[in-house]
């Protein structure tokens, strides 16, 4: 009997996490839409901004990004294609591995990231405080 209650509590906790994630994702998409981004777009820009070299050079290979933003490589490739079309990122061949592709923010991407970062952080602050 006690194990059933513990199991049910575990399942309810898991469902709460999923619900918080879904609500937060929707709020992020709404807040970022006016800037021409969705939550996944911003995650890629944010990751690239965090890892950007001082000279603004390429920081991550596509495979490394997919591991950090929890998207399949094909979904990420499409997302990067959209960001590249909007001149927010650029792709370049890896110097150390010609089969690999590195992605970097453009000046426009850095500027947009700087403008939108406070919006994203405010949504996270509000939504995650509700989850407590």
């Amino acid at each position: 009997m006690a194990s059933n209650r513990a199991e049910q509590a575990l399942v309810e906790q898991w469902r709460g996490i999923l619900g918080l994630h879904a609500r937060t994702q929707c709020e992020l998409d709404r807040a970022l839409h006016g800037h021409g981004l969705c939550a996944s777009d911003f995650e890629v820009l944010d990751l690239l901004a965090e890892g950007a070299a001082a000279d603004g050079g390429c920081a991550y290979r596509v495979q490394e990004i997919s591991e950090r933003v929890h998207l399949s490589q094909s979904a990420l490739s499409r997302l990067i294609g959209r960001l590249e079309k909007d001149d927010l990122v650029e792709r370049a061949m890896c110097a150390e591995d010609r089969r690999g592709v590195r992605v970097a923010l453009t000046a426009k991407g850095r500027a947009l990231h700087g403008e939108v970062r406070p919006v994203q952080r405010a949504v996270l602050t509000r939504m995650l405080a509700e989850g407590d």
Side-chain angles (χ1 to χ4, degrees):
M1 195 64 104
S3 68
N4 285 342
R5 276 186 285 225
E7 183 178 310
Q8 185 59 37
L10 182 66
V11 169
E12 287 175 19
Q13 182 182 14
W14 172 242
R15 289 180 181 155
I17 291 168
L18 291 175
L20 177 60
H21 176 268
R23 290 188 306 277
T24 303
Q25 192 79 11
C26 287
E27 284 297 313
L28 287 168
D29 284 339
R30 263 191 288 263
L32 299 174
H33 179 76
H35 300 274
L37 299 172
C38 69
S40 295
D41 296 340
F42 181 82
E43 281 301 315
V44 170
L45 295 180
D46 200 39
L47 179 64
L48 292 172
E50 288 174 1
D55 64 0
C58 296
Y60 288 105
R61 293 173 61 156
V62 173
Q63 182 178 349
E64 294 168 326
I65 297 170
S66 72
E67 292 167 359
R68 302 269 315 265
V69 297
H70 309 291
L71 293 173
S72 68
Q73 280 199 276
S74 61
L76 179 61
S77 184
R78 288 189 301 275
L79 186 152
I80 290 171
R82 287 193 317 274
L83 295 176
E84 188 175 36
K85 182 180 170 205
D86 292 339
D87 192 33
L88 300 174
V89 302
E90 58 190 3
R91 295 184 235 207
M93 297 302 295
C94 292
E96 63 275 7
D97 178 2
R98 301 289 299 161
R99 295 170 295 160
V101 175
R102 288 197 175 265
V103 180
L105 287 175
T106 61
K108 181 179 176 182
R110 276 189 298 282
L112 182 60
H113 174 264
E115 174 186 325
V116 176
R117 185 177 183 268
V119 173
Q120 189 258 9
R121 297 304 198 259
V123 171
L124 289 182
T125 298
R126 181 171 44 84
M127 294 303 295
L128 296 179
E130 290 176 13
D132 290 341

